Amino acid sequence: MRNIYLAGCSALLLLLAACNNAEQKTVNADSLKVIAKPIPGTPIKYDSSKRYIFLTWDDSPQPPGTVNCKQVFKEQNVKATFFSVGFNQVGPFKKRLIDSIRNEYPQFLLANHSFSHGFNDKYAKFYSMPDSAYSDFMRNEKELQIGVKIIRLPGNNTWASNGVIHGQKAENKLVKRLDSTGYKIIGWDIEWGQNGKQKQPKESATEMAKRVNQKFDDGSTFEQNAIVILSHDRLFEKKQFADSLNRFISILKQDPRNVFETIDHYPLVQRK
Ligand SMILES: [Zn+2]
């Protein structure tokens, strides 16, 4: 009887040891996963024979446009950046959408487009109140848990990095403060704009791809061999326009020189 009892105890101890071991292995695998997770902003090496394309889509979360754009980018397996607005993140679905963008780096990058979208599109007021506007960007960074110091100004095409500022707002106090505190401000080379008041893109996919090629051929992009394309998620709400976005990317992919990257890998952002 005693032997059986002892045998039982040993079996139990062996079982406990095995469980412990298994747990240990899981923990190790998990910590490896954490270490291996890519970090936004990591330096990349440019290939001078390539043309770098930065798709930068503004004002998310705005479903169903944001959902469609993400899906197209995923199907096409291209990288893109979402400049997001905390004010639009209302309710659990929109929060999950922002979480999914943040968590899907390196394919997608979540960046800062202010919390209130420039005091609800009141740009003159926004840019005349630099302290409040600065706090608005900081609030957005915190609430959306944005991991990079990369900003697009609402309603304004301005670039800033390391004290070098270009664009309409070059003399603005907010821009100078953002720049001096290490933020990179990203403008755009071309915009796939809205067709009047309709929520749809102005140009066809073919026209847009032509404009991209023209801009590279002219050498008139802000940075050499790199183009920043601006558009808005909401323009691609309807299926036919999501298809147009799909076509646009398919055309660009036919040129082997084209590489799609997230904006943390844009030369101005990478330059120390
Ligand atoms: Zn915007």
Side-chain angles (χ1 to χ4, degrees):
M1 190 66 185
R2 190 164 174 264
N3 275 349
I4 292 168
Y5 172 74
L6 279 177
C9 281
S10 320
L12 186 67
L13 280 174
L14 277 173
L15 187 69
L16 279 174
C19 285
N20 221 355
N21 240 344
E23 200 179 3
Q24 196 72 34
K25 271 184 196 149
T26 320
V27 169
N28 285 343
D30 277 353
S31 26
L32 280 176
K33 237 187 262 166
V34 170
I35 292 163
K37 204 172 177 190
I39 301 160
T42 312
I44 64 159
K45 260 203 151 109
Y46 298 108
D47 177 343
S48 59
S49 69
K50 298 288 184 193
R51 313 192 310 182
Y52 291 86
I53 296 175
F54 298 85
L55 303 170
T56 62
W57 264 222
D58 285 7
D59 301 352
S60 48
Q62 286 191 323
T66 306
V67 177
N68 290 352
C69 291
K70 271 189 71 198
Q71 199 183 335
V72 169
F73 298 149
K74 286 197 124 186
E75 276 169 21
Q76 289 280 6
N77 194 24
V78 294
K79 294 185 179 185
T81 303
F82 291 89
F83 281 96
S84 303
V85 171
F87 183 74
N88 291 342
Q89 189 194 232
V90 182
F93 178 70
K94 290 180 180 176
K95 189 179 179 302
R96 277 202 302 277
L97 207 46
I98 289 293
D99 289 345
S100 73
I101 294 170
R102 189 192 316 101
N103 295 334
E104 285 175 61
Y105 186 83
Q107 183 168 15
F108 301 135
L109 181 74
L110 181 68
N112 196 342
H113 192 40
S114 83
F115 179 83
S116 66
H117 202 270
F119 302 161
N120 206 7
D121 303 350
K122 293 185 182 65
Y123 303 134
K125 192 176 172 195
F126 185 75
Y127 293 109
S128 71
M129 299 176 72
D131 292 341
S132 309
Y134 188 87
S135 306
D136 197 72
F137 278 108
M138 298 309 110
R139 181 181 177 190
N140 201 44
E141 179 177 295
K142 204 172 165 201
E143 292 205 11
L144 300 188
Q145 298 166 50
I146 297 168
V148 290
K149 293 177 91 170
I150 305 175
I151 279 174
R152 168 160 293 137
L153 299 179
N156 199 276
N157 192 355
T158 294
W159 309 77
S161 170
N162 300 333
V164 184
I165 309 176
H166 296 272
Q168 288 166 281
K169 293 288 173 196
E171 291 309 312
N172 187 271
K173 271 190 181 166
L174 163 71
V175 173
K176 287 183 176 172
R177 186 169 170 197
L178 287 168
D179 172 67
S180 68
T181 47
Y183 287 87
K184 310 282 185 179
I185 301 176
I186 301 295
W188 60 90
D189 290 301
I190 57 171
E191 178 178 1
W192 197 354
Q194 184 164 332
N195 191 8
K197 285 191 175 164
Q198 315 262 7
K199 254 199 260 172
Q200 59 184 60
K202 200 178 350 185
E203 291 96 348
S204 71
T206 322
E207 280 164 341
M208 236 0 243
K210 253 189 210 158
R211 283 183 62 200
V212 171
N213 284 326
Q214 191 68 53
K215 198 89 186 161
F216 272 127
D217 293 345
D218 291 350
S220 61
T221 52
F222 189 73
E223 294 266 8
Q224 223 188 343
N225 289 341
I227 194 165
V228 178
I229 304 171
L230 159 69
S231 198
H232 292 85
D233 310 13
R234 60 180 171 272
L235 304 188
F236 306 96
E237 268 183 26
K238 287 194 181 140
K239 191 184 178 297
Q240 70 182 104
F241 303 118
D243 289 346
S244 182
L245 175 59
N246 205 1
R247 240 184 342 268
F248 172 59
I249 294 169
S250 293
I251 298 169
L252 293 176
K253 276 170 83 175
Q254 284 166 15
D255 190 325
R257 292 172 299 173
N258 290 340
V259 177
F260 293 83
E261 263 301 344
T262 43
I263 205 72
D264 54 324
H265 293 144
Y266 186 65
L268 173 143
V269 177
Q270 291 262 305
R271 225 170 280 133
K272 294 290 167 218

